[in-house]
């Protein structure tokens, strides 16, 4: 890898750890047998390039990510990781629920309901509910 790629990778790995702790690293490690390049791309582009940009703080980025994944309605595993990340970077459970409720307007109730049940699972794991 060139220095620029190494910089992206290591910058991304540090940002991933900052946001997701061990959960993000477990996702990347789970790709090693099937698609190690996909794991590397996931570190380099979203975390090395996008999450590392100035302009939005990590809390704002996670609010946007939770909203997008909630709206998709079919990304429960990724939503779970990012609800955990949102909590890690300072979002309150109430803010996360409000984001999900907001998505009911634009993505529909089925997507919002799916997201609410993922949030319930994460909050339960954290002893929040």
């Amino acid at each position: 890898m060139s220095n620029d790629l190494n910089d992206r990778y290591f910058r991304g790995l540090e940002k991933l750890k900052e946001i997701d702790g061990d959960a993000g690293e477990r996702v990347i490690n789970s790709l090693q047998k099937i698609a190690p390049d996909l794991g590397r791309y996931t570190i380099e582009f979203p975390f090395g390039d996008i999450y590392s940009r100035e302009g939005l703080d990590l809390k704002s980025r996670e609010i946007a990510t939770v909203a997008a994944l909630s709206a998709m309605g079919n990304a429960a595993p990724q939503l779970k990781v990012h609800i955990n990340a949102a909590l890690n970077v300072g979002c309150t459970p109430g803010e996360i629920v409000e984001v999900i409720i907001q998505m009911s307007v634009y993505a529909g109730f089925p997507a919002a309901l799916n997201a609410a049940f993922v949030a319930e699972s994460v909050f339960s794991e954290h002893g929040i509910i």
Side-chain angles (χ1 to χ4, degrees):
M1 270 193 260
S2 73
N3 278 345
D4 183 48
L5 289 178
N6 278 333
D7 289 347
R8 288 176 72 212
Y9 180 84
F10 289 112
R11 183 176 58 242
L13 193 57
E14 287 304 309
K15 190 60 69 175
L16 177 65
K17 288 178 185 175
E18 179 182 353
I19 296 166
D20 289 329
D22 293 337
E25 207 167 340
R26 281 193 301 272
V27 171
I28 300 305
N29 289 339
S30 71
L31 292 167
Q32 289 309 303
K33 287 183 184 176
I34 185 75
D37 287 342
L38 182 58
R40 189 181 83 246
Y41 300 150
T42 300
I43 292 170
E44 291 172 351
F45 180 63
F47 295 97
D49 293 341
I50 304 303
Y51 271 87
S52 296
R53 292 175 53 86
E54 294 180 12
L56 289 176
D57 61 13
L58 291 179
K59 182 177 176 181
S60 299
R61 290 187 187 282
E62 283 304 325
I63 287 172
T65 303
V66 167
L69 292 170
S70 295
M72 291 175 70
N74 62 355
Q78 294 79 15
L79 180 57
K80 183 175 182 176
V81 168
H82 283 282
I83 289 174
N84 273 299
L87 292 169
N88 287 343
V89 299
C91 289
T92 67
E95 288 171 324
I96 293 167
V97 169
E98 285 301 318
V99 168
I100 292 168
I101 291 170
Q102 183 74 20
M103 291 307 99
S104 71
V105 176
Y106 297 98
F109 278 88
L113 289 167
N114 289 344
F117 292 127
V118 172
E120 178 184 34
S121 169
V122 172
F123 295 166
S124 186
E125 288 172 8
H126 282 264
I128 295 168
I129 58 171

